[in-house]
């Protein structure tokens, strides 16, 4: 279960009492959740107007940074391709797994100095997330182009004999080259028609060289045969071959072109390998940065919302609950019972109602401050 509930409640006589009450209600008697204190430092409060405005801005920023975190995680999975089982071990925050980071959260004073105003801190995070988002787009675009070009070439070199590149199959000696009159054609013949081909190929046009056919390559369904004929009989030969369900491949033996194709394939493959390591490292570092920024936004939101709801002086306890999956409904009931005195109207507020100053359309409203953190960041199960 990778869902967390980040909540806060006002300090009783002390914040420790608030914590103890929660522990008694949710863990000591009924094992509804695993709980940790969530440490938020003494941030600068600012004016009420600023806090109200910031509440809305942080909600939008939360959504944006979460989307960046998910994009980086998802792209990590795309880049790792066949090693998707390794994705989770690369998605770390500050070198530890996400659950450990959240449950032992410590504010990063160096990145987000608490002497700055809340607005400044949120702007630092916003710029950082936008930078990661833009860099990801640029890097993903470059790597995807490379990967796409390589896949197109690989597709050309795979597939059936009717469509695949023949450059890696044929050799110079399979062809009559530099002849004014003669040309070697390549024909795809279904395996079930080999006998018919041998019987009929010399009669498909008037100027086919007798006994000139040779089987060059076979795949699961067909064989690739060469046949030599006079150039002036090409059209006639193609027409008759089609009538007999033999497919003539348009192929000119050109050593330069074939060499260029092979070199391009090698170059793209080498480039992809070269870019892979640095890209994965970039994704790891920037996933960590984005995730850390995201959890700091959650901390900011809890702080701002707690001050707006519970008033000054700042006196609340932030708590991180990891609900026991089977008991989520029960946990919600216990929390409502525990904190209903904080806001008697909360029980009857419908989340679809639009109340100025309360951002209810985005999430449920409870008498206590509540934000969900969902660490399941990928669209697939690893």
């Amino acid at each position: 279960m990778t869902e967390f509930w980040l909540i806060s409640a006002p300090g009783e006589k002390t914040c420790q009492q608030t914590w103890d009450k929660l522990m008694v209600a949710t863990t000591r008697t009924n094992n509804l959740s695993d709980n940790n204190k969530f440490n938020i430092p003494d941030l600068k409060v600012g004016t009420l107007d600023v806090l109200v405005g910031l509440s809305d801005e942080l909600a939008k920023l939360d959504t944006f940074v979460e989307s960046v975190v998910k994009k980086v995680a998802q792209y990590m999975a795309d880049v790792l391709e066949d090693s998707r089982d390794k994705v989770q071990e690369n998605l770390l925050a500050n070198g530890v797994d996400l659950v450990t980071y959240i449950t032992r959260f410590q504010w990063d004073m160096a990145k987000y100095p608490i002497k700055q105003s809340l607005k400044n801190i949120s702007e630092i995070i916003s710029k950082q997330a936008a930078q990661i988002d833009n860099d990801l787009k640029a890097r993903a675009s470059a790597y995807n182009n490379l990967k796409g070009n390589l896949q197109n070439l690989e597709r050309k070199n795979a597939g059936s004999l009717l469509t695949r590149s023949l450059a890696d199959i044929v050799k110079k000696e399979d062809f009559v080259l530099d002849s004014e009159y003669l040309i070697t054609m390549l024909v795809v013949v279904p395996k079930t028609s080999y006998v018919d081909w041998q019987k009929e190929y010399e009669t498909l046009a008037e100027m086919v060289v007798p006994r000139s056919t040779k089987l060059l390559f076979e795949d699961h369904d067909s064989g690739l045969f060469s046949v030599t004929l006079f150039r002036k009989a090409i059209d006639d030969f193609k027409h008759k071959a089609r009538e007999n369900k033999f497919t003539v491949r348009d192929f000119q033996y050109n050593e330069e072109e074939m060499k260029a194709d092979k070199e391009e394939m090698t170059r793209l493959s080498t480039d992809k390998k070269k870019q892979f390591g640095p890209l994965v490292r970039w994704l790891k570092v920037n996933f960590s940065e984005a995730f850390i920024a995201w959890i700091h936004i959650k901390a900011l939101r809890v702080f701002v919302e707690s001050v707006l709801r519970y008033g000054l002086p700042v006196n609340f306890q932030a708590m991180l609950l990891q609900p026991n999956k089977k008991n989520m409904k029960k946990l919600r009931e216990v929390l409502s019972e525990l904190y209903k005195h904080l806001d008697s109207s909360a029980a009857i507020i419908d989340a679809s109602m639009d109340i100025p100053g309360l951002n209810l359309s985005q999430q449920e409203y409870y008498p206590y401050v509540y934000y969900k953190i969902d660490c399941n960041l990928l669209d697939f199960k690893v």
Side-chain angles (χ1 to χ4, degrees), residues 192-250:
T192 50
S193 306
Y194 279 10
V195 174
D196 295 345
W197 168 256
Q198 294 290 358
K199 255 197 314 206
E200 292 167 22
Y201 80 91
E202 291 178 9
T203 62
L204 292 177
E206 282 186 356
M207 297 183 175
V208 177
V209 176
R211 292 189 295 286
S212 65
T213 195
K214 202 162 87 182
L215 177 62
L216 305 180
F217 186 83
E218 282 186 303
D219 68 9
H220 189 59
D221 305 306
S222 323
L224 183 72
F225 287 84
S226 62
V227 60
T228 302
L229 55 142
F230 279 77
R231 286 180 182 275
K232 56 170 74 169
I234 288 177
D235 289 343
D236 198 19
F237 181 83
K238 279 183 174 177
H239 178 66
K240 286 275 172 40
R242 196 163 43 245
E243 280 181 358
N244 284 276
K245 305 219 167 24
F246 307 136
T247 307
V248 177
R249 287 287 307 263
D250 277 326

Side-chain angles (χ1 to χ4, degrees), residues 83-299:
S83 313
R84 284 190 161 197
D85 53 332
K86 301 270 190 299
V87 175
Q88 221 65 56
E89 67 194 57
N90 283 297
L91 298 180
L92 304 174
N94 249 358
V96 297
D97 67 85
L98 307 185
V99 170
T100 303
Y101 177 79
I102 296 172
T103 52
R104 296 182 190 163
F105 176 75
Q106 291 295 325
W107 187 274
D108 190 325
M109 301 287 181
K111 277 198 189 95
Y112 313 115
I114 59 171
K115 287 195 172 71
Q116 302 228 17
S117 68
L118 296 174
K119 182 127 183 84
N120 280 5
I121 294 172
S122 75
E123 278 168 4
I124 292 170
I125 293 175
S126 178
K127 278 183 192 147
Q128 186 191 10
Q131 184 69 52
I132 292 172
D133 195 38
N134 290 333
D135 285 357
L136 176 66
K137 280 179 193 147
R139 284 167 189 268
S141 170
Y143 189 74
N144 290 350
N145 280 343
L146 183 59
K147 198 163 122 180
N149 292 340
L150 184 58
Q151 279 168 343
N152 287 340
L153 272 183
E154 282 168 347
R155 262 199 294 276
K156 269 171 70 181
N157 287 325
S160 84
L161 281 170
L162 295 169
T163 55
R164 66 172 288 174
S165 163
L166 303 177
D168 58 337
I169 291 173
V170 297
K171 301 181 191 68
K172 190 174 183 178
E173 54 266 30
D174 297 328
F175 294 82
V176 172
L177 297 170
D178 308 320
S179 164
E180 197 180 330
Y181 303 105
L182 293 173
I183 184 168
T184 301
M185 310 281 288
L186 297 177
V187 185
V188 178
V189 179
K191 281 189 173 174
T192 50
S193 306
Y194 279 10
V195 174
D196 295 345
W197 168 256
Q198 294 290 358
K199 255 197 314 206
E200 292 167 22
Y201 80 91
E202 291 178 9
T203 62
L204 292 177
E206 282 186 356
M207 297 183 175
V208 177
V209 176
R211 292 189 295 286
S212 65
T213 195
K214 202 162 87 182
L215 177 62
L216 305 180
F217 186 83
E218 282 186 303
D219 68 9
H220 189 59
D221 305 306
S222 323
L224 183 72
F225 287 84
S226 62
V227 60
T228 302
L229 55 142
F230 279 77
R231 286 180 182 275
K232 56 170 74 169
I234 288 177
D235 289 343
D236 198 19
F237 181 83
K238 279 183 174 177
H239 178 66
K240 286 275 172 40
R242 196 163 43 245
E243 280 181 358
N244 284 276
K245 305 219 167 24
F246 307 136
T247 307
V248 177
R249 287 287 307 263
D250 277 326
F251 183 83
Q252 299 284 320
Y253 185 86
N254 183 322
E255 212 144 4
E256 290 306 306
E257 264 181 35
M258 284 158 61
K259 191 177 164 203
D261 264 6
K262 278 181 184 163
E263 281 172 358
E264 176 69 352
M265 182 100 161
T266 308
R267 185 186 69 74
L268 289 172
S269 186
T270 308
D271 277 3
K272 188 184 168 200
K273 279 182 192 135
K274 257 194 216 154
Q275 286 191 26
F276 177 81
L279 179 59
V280 170
R281 278 195 295 281
W282 184 90
L283 289 166
K284 280 176 77 162
V285 167
N286 285 276
F287 173 81
S288 175
E289 292 294 304
F291 189 84
I292 289 167
W294 185 41
I295 303 305
H296 279 75
I297 291 168
K298 295 289 188 193

